Amino acid sequence: MKMFIQRNSPLPLHQQIYHSIRDQIVSGLLTDGDQLPSIRQLAQQLQVSPMTVVQAYRLLEKENWIVQVQGKGSFVRTQEPSEETQPSPFAWQKKISNNLIGARYPSFYHWPVEYPMADSVIDPELLPNLFIEQELIKLLSQDPRSLSRYSEIQGDFHLRSAISKYLQKLSIHTSPEEILITNGTQQAIDLVTRTFLQPGDLVVTEAPTYAAALDLFKSQGVTLLSVPVDEEGMKISNLMRIFSQKTPKLIYTIPSFQNPSGVTMSRKRRQQLIELVQNTTTLILEDDPWSELYFEKKPPEPLFSMDTQGHVIYIKGLSKILAPSCRIGILLARGPIFHQLLTMKGNVDLGNPLLTQKAILSIIQTERMQRHLEKLRIALQLRRDYLIYCLQVYMPAGVKWHKPLGGLNLWVELPEKVNALTITEQAKEQSVSVLPGTICYPYEEGGDRFLRLTFASLNEKKIEEAIRRLGVIIYKALNAPSAFANA
Ligand SMILES: Cc1ncc(COP(=O)(O)O)c(C=O)c1O
């Protein structure tokens, strides 16, 4: 079992081991009946005292994640592997070491439920599907050979030109040469991770943050530290304290309508962040999935536009605002790092599909895009307001939330007694999916009392039914004995 522990983390070692194993169980990487390493083996592997492992295993057992069987060892959840069941012919594969260190995100994603509120996606009814479909048909009839050609690795030149003009509206002045088209911004995060991060590097994220980015950073064995966000975004004073000890290799931030908290980093904090990294070798990865989706006023200009020394790598996905399945992400960077990222993109996939790049070209380069965004802002604001109304009606006292001024998500704080993971499981049984805050923190327990709800994926009728069901579950949890509650 591959596992990294951080000796300079504020989290005790036994808790790091506990989290790492719990994450692997939650994500399905460890399954019922899997045997854990013996206490001695794991202590040796991690260079910790056997007592540290004992403490971790006790904690896991107390929460029913594992059972310890006298004389046999420790097993995931079930009593012990049944003697009657035939061993799987693939069981040996579990012995192959891999880089999936505590990847938790995919296990919460795309649950087939009637009321999906876990995924940050927009209701297809609100997206220009018909237009894109017609573009695809036109494209194939006018240029059937487009399926027989590779795209440029960097991305279709016409699309990059159109994007550089589009980005001007977001106060970003760039050129097609500084743009790399990626397979969604998920790939952009992966490219930055693969290209620049090595075991032991220090990566700082916001807390909470986008869970799938955490999973990627972890896969490289980096040291992860997180900085809390408040009403003005990432707390720069905390970040300064980190810098006084060690210079981070990378800071990952979502400054506008942050995922999952919904807060926006103020202009002052953005300037402070840029000042902090000047004259260092720190990279900033600025993730901007939806700054266009503001309900009151536009967020401040991106960090990328404030930076003159090439520290900021800016990424923008078009999934959230246009067409998730076209998988178009935009990456901007300046200087030698751009070419390093481009080389990695070539190594990884030789470039995005040409067809989907061409399919969105005509919408991106016309006024149609602005009209679409205007409508989207209104529709999403209505859904946010309706979600808040439903929370007021159906949630028991003690449930709080932060009103987001843009984006797709609302961050809910549960009363002290209620556990987010338990609520998530209960909600799934009622065909409602929610994202537990637990997976939005690198290691801390902080997320156990938070849920992220997406208001963009359901219409108002469905939002109401989902929140009614969720309200009942939380109400029961509040009034139940310990089974439902935080241990
Ligand atoms: C903050 C953030 N970044 C990146 C992504 C990846 O999206 P995509 O790869 O579709 O651009 C997501 C998806 O939910 C997200 O929320």
Side-chain angles (χ1 to χ4, degrees), residues 382-441:
L382 286 173
R383 290 184 188 206
R384 176 207 60 184
D385 291 345
Y386 198 68
L387 172 59
I388 291 178
Y389 163 75
C390 293
L391 289 169
Q392 284 161 348
V393 172
Y394 294 107
M395 284 297 149
V399 176
K400 298 182 202 150
W401 51 88
H402 171 267
K403 180 179 175 181
L405 302 180
L408 314 186
N409 302 308
L410 185 137
W411 191 230
V412 173
E413 186 177 348
L414 299 167
E416 217 160 275
K417 216 183 142 204
V418 182
N419 178 288
L421 270 179
T422 318
I423 296 297
T424 306
E425 286 300 322
Q426 298 288 323
K428 192 176 164 191
E429 280 165 26
Q430 299 296 319
S431 215
V432 179
S433 68
V434 298
L435 196 82
T438 335
I439 69 164
C440 302
Y441 289 78

Side-chain angles (χ1 to χ4, degrees), residues 105 109 119-120 183-187 189 210 252 254 259 287-290 315-320 324 327-329 409 452:
Y105 188 59
Y109 205 51
D119 308 346
S120 293
N183 196 31
T185 38
Q186 191 62 27
Q187 187 188 46
I189 304 171
Y210 173 47
Y252 172 68
I254 309 161
N259 182 2
D287 191 350
D288 177 17
W290 42 56
I315 58 175
K316 157 159 289 303
L318 296 184
S319 300
K320 311 300 173 182
R327 306 303 299 126
I328 306 286
N409 302 308
R452 192 194 71 188

Side-chain angles (χ1 to χ4, degrees), residues 16-29:
Q16 293 186 43
I17 298 171
Y18 154 83
H19 278 288
S20 186
I21 295 175
R22 192 187 74 168
D23 288 351
Q24 297 196 37
I25 298 172
V26 169
S27 68
L29 291 172

Side-chain angles (χ1 to χ4, degrees), residues 46-338:
L46 299 174
Q47 298 284 297
V48 296
S49 79
M51 199 51 210
T52 306
V53 180
V54 169
Q55 282 176 304
Y57 280 14
R58 275 197 197 137
L59 213 52
L60 288 161
E61 190 167 39
K62 191 169 153 225
E63 293 185 3
N64 284 329
W65 295 103
I66 65 167
V67 287
Q68 302 195 65
V69 184
Q70 190 77 34
K72 291 203 169 175
S74 304
F75 298 87
V76 173
R77 230 185 242 147
T78 52
Q79 201 61 21
E80 56 187 295
S82 157
E83 311 236 319
E84 282 136 46
T85 49
Q86 288 289 321
S88 154
F90 311 122
W92 64 273
Q93 293 181 354
K94 296 248 165 148
K95 295 193 181 126
I96 307 175
S97 70
N98 63 49
N99 292 328
L100 294 165
I101 305 159
R104 300 166 294 176
Y105 188 59
S107 51
F108 291 101
Y109 205 51
H110 293 329
W111 280 350
V113 291
E114 227 178 311
Y115 303 96
M117 298 193 91
D119 308 346
S120 293
V121 290
I122 292 189
D123 183 352
E125 295 288 318
L126 302 177
L127 294 175
N129 306 315
L130 204 60
F131 180 78
I132 295 177
E133 183 190 315
Q134 281 162 357
E135 280 305 299
L136 273 173
I137 295 168
K138 204 158 76 188
L139 209 72
L140 283 172
S141 63
Q142 287 173 357
D143 180 15
R145 293 199 169 183
S146 56
L147 281 175
S148 330
R149 294 196 305 271
Y150 279 107
S151 156
E152 286 168 74
I153 291 174
Q154 193 174 344
D156 178 61
F157 179 78
H158 298 290
L159 180 63
R160 285 187 282 121
S161 305
I163 283 173
S164 69
K165 290 197 189 92
Y166 172 76
L167 290 174
Q168 283 175 10
K169 298 211 167 52
L170 304 181
S171 313
I172 296 177
H173 302 286
T174 185
S175 67
E177 288 66 38
E178 292 175 341
I179 296 177
L180 173 63
I181 305 293
T182 59
N183 196 31
T185 38
Q186 191 62 27
Q187 187 188 46
I189 304 171
D190 184 39
L191 291 179
V192 170
T193 304
R194 284 167 187 260
T195 308
F196 299 114
L197 299 184
Q198 282 143 0
D201 281 343
L202 176 61
V203 174
V204 181
T205 70
E206 286 148 345
T209 189
Y210 173 47
L214 288 176
D215 284 1
L216 275 175
F217 300 146
K218 278 187 190 170
S219 72
Q220 284 313 89
V222 301
T223 299
L224 269 176
L225 288 181
S226 59
V227 168
V229 293
D230 63 14
E231 280 304 312
E232 277 193 79
M234 196 180 221
K235 285 187 168 179
I236 303 296
S237 51
N238 291 44
L239 194 56
M240 283 172 163
R241 275 201 289 281
I242 294 176
F243 267 82
S244 69
Q245 311 245 319
K246 187 172 175 190
T247 307
K249 179 83 167 271
L250 182 82
I251 298 170
Y252 172 68
T253 173
I254 309 161
S256 301
F257 315 125
Q258 203 252 4
N259 182 2
S261 70
V263 300
T264 289
M265 196 188 288
S266 64
R267 176 169 279 108
K268 188 168 151 219
R269 292 249 177 110
R270 291 178 195 226
Q271 278 159 350
Q272 287 173 332
L273 179 54
I274 292 296
E275 272 163 35
L276 192 60
V277 299
Q278 301 299 296
N279 306 318
T280 71
T281 50
T282 301
L283 291 168
I284 296 176
L285 179 56
E286 176 179 26
D287 191 350
D288 177 17
W290 42 56
S291 63
E292 296 92 330
L293 301 179
Y294 52 88
F295 305 145
E296 268 130 64
K297 57 176 183 176
K298 277 188 182 184
E301 63 184 309
L303 295 162
F304 185 80
S305 309
M306 298 177 169
D307 167 41
T308 53
Q309 292 185 356
H311 288 269
V312 180
I313 300 168
Y314 172 90
I315 58 175
K316 157 159 289 303
L318 296 184
S319 300
K320 311 300 173 182
I321 52 176
L322 209 52
S325 84
C326 285
R327 306 303 299 126
I328 306 286
I330 301 164
L331 181 151
L332 303 181
R334 294 187 170 126
I337 59 168
F338 181 81

